[in-house]
Amino acid sequence: MEALAVMQGLTKVYGNTLAVNNLNLTIPRGKIIGLLGPNGSGKTTLIKMINGLLTPTAGSILINGMAPGPETKARIAYLPERTYLQSGMKVCDLVDYFEDFYADFDKNRAFSMLGALNIQPAAQLKTLSKGTKEKVQLILVMSRHADLFILDEPIAGVDPAARDYILNTIITNYDENASILLSTHLISDIENILDEVIFIRNGQVITHMPVDRIREEYGQSVDAYFRRVFAC
Amino acid sequence: MLKKLFKYEWKAFWKVPTAINVFLGIMTFIGIISLASPFWELDIRGIEIMLGLAVFFYILAIAAGSIGVTIAITARFYKNIYTDEGYLTNTLPVTARQIILSKLFVGVIWSFITGAAVSISVFSLIYTASLSYSDVNIFYEFWQDFPEFLRFFREEAKISFFLFAFLGLIYLILSTALSILKLYTAIALGQLFSRHKVAGAVMWYIGEYVVFEIITSFLRGIPSYSNGLFSFFFSYGISYYNSNSYSVLLSMLIAIGFCLAVCAGLYFLTEHMLKNRLNLD
């Protein structure tokens, strides 16, 4: 099956800082993949380049065979690590907004998840707590039938009780041909749902392998293996 | 998608300029009531100073209102594209062109509405003052002189008044779009700075201003582009119409052509920056 996303020689330089360094990576279909690395390793830079929010200094990115643009954005559901919604809008208006722009948005699924997390559709975003805003964003993103879900720190700001629901949502709400690229520092919370992990350091992929292989070959959990690889 | 972007842009933006225009309306209403009353004719010590202050604050308020709408248009573009909100705006399945045009349309419409509101406000106050403090009814006078006005355009300026008004309207739309595009381009170019991007945008805007001033000072030598259609028309058109019967029409077309060309240049520069040089922090 054709790869979902292919990155070749991808490089991003900020001034004198090399954030992503000649990175080569292939993201397959139908996998939940953890994008893991220490702070400043280039995870968010890579994610932003895939989403067209950063222009690469060199190299190429192809998603479904296309460079980042309106066509790829229609097929990627992206959750950034910050609040990107307009605070003056109501939750129900945001649902309408996503429905208007994304053909793959499932409005019923969004309202169902809002109900499960006790979020009032009539509530104005600016009246919600930071954690609830993050839940709203995650619900909007996960209510799409996208090919690639890119979630940057999806559970960092929410309470542990909501984390289980969110992780369950992630597992159950994606199609078998879709993939999820999940970046987080809370490895132990998510490692049970991961199929593969990508370790990134100094803007380069140092490991890309199935989670089962880490357990079989190294006899360690992903969390323990991560601590060993990135030990200070 | 452009229609949808326009719809959401309108919904997100209408409140600030509406509040400014409502404020202008209230101020105009108070001004009309005040001018229609005999208050300013009372023999009170210092009434001239009070009248001077009232006029000063009125001028200050309409200037602040116009500038306020321009600032709101600029802030909306910056916030919605280059701050946290940009993470959503720039990941929508739409083109950079659709994003810019939707914001530009809304900005031009609100600039126009505000410009019209300011014009109506000033005219209403002048009309009320003329009725209250003189025997001149400027509406009546204008209506009386209207045939002469039309004759001037037809016979001396060699252009139909309606064509003049139509071309003037096109010029006003383009010059409004131009003033907004200058701001958009400065913000987009400010993103080339790795730090202090807002300060960078201000520097680009000052740079644009200087370049425009230099260009327009050269262009004033030929009856074409100028700071404004009407100043240009009265400066050049009237003095040239005797020697060149098409000078008014030609001058207007040249002014529109220049404005259109500069708008296109600034637009494509902004689009290039958003499409090919986007780097969100």
Side-chain angles (χ1 to χ4, degrees):
Chain A
M1 194 185 289
E2 186 200 346
L4 183 52
V6 179
M7 282 139 264
Q8 287 183 324
L10 196 61
T11 302
K12 180 65 187 177
V13 180
Y14 294 111
N16 296 322
T17 309
L18 192 58
V20 171
N21 182 11
N22 195 27
L23 180 142
N24 297 302
L25 178 65
T26 299
I27 297 174
R29 292 178 191 275
K31 303 285 183 191
I32 301 179
I33 304 161
L35 181 64
L36 311 174
N39 292 328
S41 56
K43 302 185 297 293
T44 298
T45 301
L46 172 63
I47 285 172
K48 282 157 75 171
M49 284 194 285
I50 297 171
N51 283 289
L53 298 175
L54 281 178
T55 308
T57 307
S60 67
I61 303 172
L62 293 177
I63 298 125
N64 283 335
M66 292 176 285
E71 297 83 7
T72 64
K73 289 171 186 176
R75 303 304 309 148
I76 296 177
Y78 170 50
L79 179 76
E81 87 284 28
R82 58 185 78 198
T83 305
Y84 66 3
L85 303 172
Q86 292 176 39
S87 57
M89 292 177 87
K90 290 178 180 175
V91 174
C92 54
D93 294 337
L94 288 163
V95 171
D96 290 338
Y97 187 92
F98 269 65
E99 190 188 29
D100 266 350
F101 285 105
Y102 297 109
D104 58 11
F105 186 76
D106 186 338
K107 193 174 185 175
N108 293 330
R109 182 190 279 183
F111 280 119
S112 163
M113 285 196 275
L114 286 170
L117 289 173
N118 292 318
I119 298 169
Q120 296 300 318
Q124 212 163 31
L125 203 69
K126 63 184 166 193
T127 66
L128 302 178
S129 69
K130 188 170 178 287
T132 308
K133 281 180 196 166
E134 289 186 13
K135 287 178 195 169
V136 171
Q137 284 194 170
L138 185 74
I139 287 168
L140 292 169
V141 169
M142 294 311 297
S143 296
R144 290 182 56 194
H145 296 279
D147 289 342
L148 177 60
F149 292 84
I150 300 179
L151 314 177
D152 197 355
E153 296 288 357
I155 55 172
V158 298
D159 55 87
R163 279 182 197 170
D164 290 341
Y165 178 82
I166 289 167
L167 293 174
N168 189 44
T169 302
I170 290 171
I171 299 167
T172 53
N173 282 15
Y174 84 105
D175 305 323
E176 61 180 25
N177 282 329
S179 280
I180 298 177
L181 189 64
L182 208 157
S183 168
T184 183
H185 291 298
L186 301 167
I187 302 170
S188 57
D189 281 346
I190 59 137
E191 71 170 275
N192 288 336
I193 69 165
L194 297 179
D195 297 312
E196 296 181 1
V197 288
I198 296 165
F199 283 5
I200 184 167
R201 177 160 58 192
N202 298 330
Q204 287 185 314
V205 174
I206 56 168
T207 302
H208 181 187
M209 67 167 83
V211 168
D212 290 343
R213 220 177 105 197
I214 291 176
R215 292 183 185 127
E216 286 164 14
E217 283 188 21
Y218 302 99
Q220 288 182 310
S221 66
V222 175
D223 191 31
Y225 182 63
F226 179 89
R227 288 169 197 268
R228 199 184 90 187
V229 171
F230 294 106
C232 298
Chain B
M1 284 295 185
L2 181 61
K3 201 173 160 188
K4 289 175 185 173
L5 282 170
F6 180 83
K7 180 181 86 173
Y8 284 102
E9 188 62 25
W10 185 269
K11 280 170 84 172
F13 188 70
W14 71 273
K15 287 177 188 167
V16 172
T18 301
I20 288 171
N21 282 300
V22 167
F23 170 71
L24 281 177
I26 291 168
M27 214 173 51
T28 307
F29 180 73
I30 293 169
I32 289 170
I33 299 290
S34 150
L35 287 170
S37 74
F39 176 77
W40 300 107
E41 289 176 316
L42 293 176
D43 189 17
I44 303 172
R45 195 176 165 196
I47 190 110
E48 291 87 0
I49 295 169
M50 283 169 65
L51 180 62
L53 280 174
V55 171
F56 171 74
F57 283 115
Y58 171 74
I59 292 169
L60 197 68
I62 57 172
S66 303
I67 293 167
V69 170
T70 305
I71 290 172
I73 290 167
T74 313
R76 168 75 188 161
F77 182 81
Y78 174 71
K79 191 179 174 200
N80 196 239
I81 293 180
Y82 292 110
T83 64
D84 287 356
E85 286 180 16
Y87 280 73
L88 180 56
T89 306
N90 292 295
T91 51
L92 293 173
V94 297
T95 60
R97 178 166 299 182
Q98 289 167 331
I99 292 172
I100 297 166
L101 288 180
S102 64
K103 293 185 188 306
L104 184 63
F105 288 162
V106 172
V108 167
I109 289 169
W110 275 111
S111 293
F112 241 83
I113 291 172
T114 308
V118 167
S119 305
I120 291 167
S121 171
V122 171
F123 185 80
S124 304
L125 291 182
I126 291 172
Y127 181 66
T128 310
S130 73
L131 285 182
S132 302
Y133 301 103
S134 73
D135 296 331
V136 180
N137 182 330
I138 53 173
F139 256 142
Y140 181 76
E141 294 280 325
F142 178 75
W143 189 245
Q144 288 289 305
D145 291 342
F146 195 64
E148 174 61 20
F149 191 64
L150 290 180
R151 191 203 60 77
F152 168 79
F153 275 95
R154 191 174 57 249
E155 293 179 9
E156 302 202 37
K158 307 286 185 191
I159 181 173
S160 127
F161 170 72
F162 298 103
L163 179 60
F164 176 82
F166 175 70
L167 291 176
L169 182 67
I170 289 180
Y171 182 84
L172 278 176
I173 292 169
L174 285 173
S175 59
T176 306
L178 176 61
S179 61
I180 294 171
L181 279 166
K182 276 190 207 169
L183 292 160
Y184 284 2
T185 309
I187 291 169
L189 290 171
Q191 301 301 306
L192 290 172
F193 290 77
S194 54
R195 290 179 189 177
H196 309 300
K197 293 180 176 181
V198 175
V202 173
M203 281 176 59
W204 276 111
Y205 188 75
I206 293 168
E208 278 177 17
Y209 180 81
V210 171
V211 170
F212 272 86
E213 282 302 302
I214 292 169
I215 293 172
T216 49
S217 68
F218 277 115
L219 290 173
R220 280 190 198 107
I222 49 169
S224 54
Y225 194 91
S226 82
N227 283 332
L229 173 69
F230 297 105
S231 64
F232 141 77
F233 170 69
F234 287 112
S235 301
Y236 299 105
I238 288 174
S239 59
Y240 277 81
Y241 76 83
N242 281 332
S243 56
N244 180 355
S245 59
Y246 294 104
S247 66
V248 174
L249 178 61
L250 185 66
S251 306
M252 291 184 83
L253 290 175
I254 291 171
I256 287 170
F258 268 108
C259 203
L260 192 62
V262 178
C263 274
L266 291 175
Y267 166 76
F268 284 116
L269 191 54
T270 308
E271 188 188 37
H272 168 74
M273 291 300 299
L274 192 55
K275 191 177 173 186
N276 303 317
R277 303 293 295 270
L278 183 67
N279 282 302
L280 286 194
D281 288 331

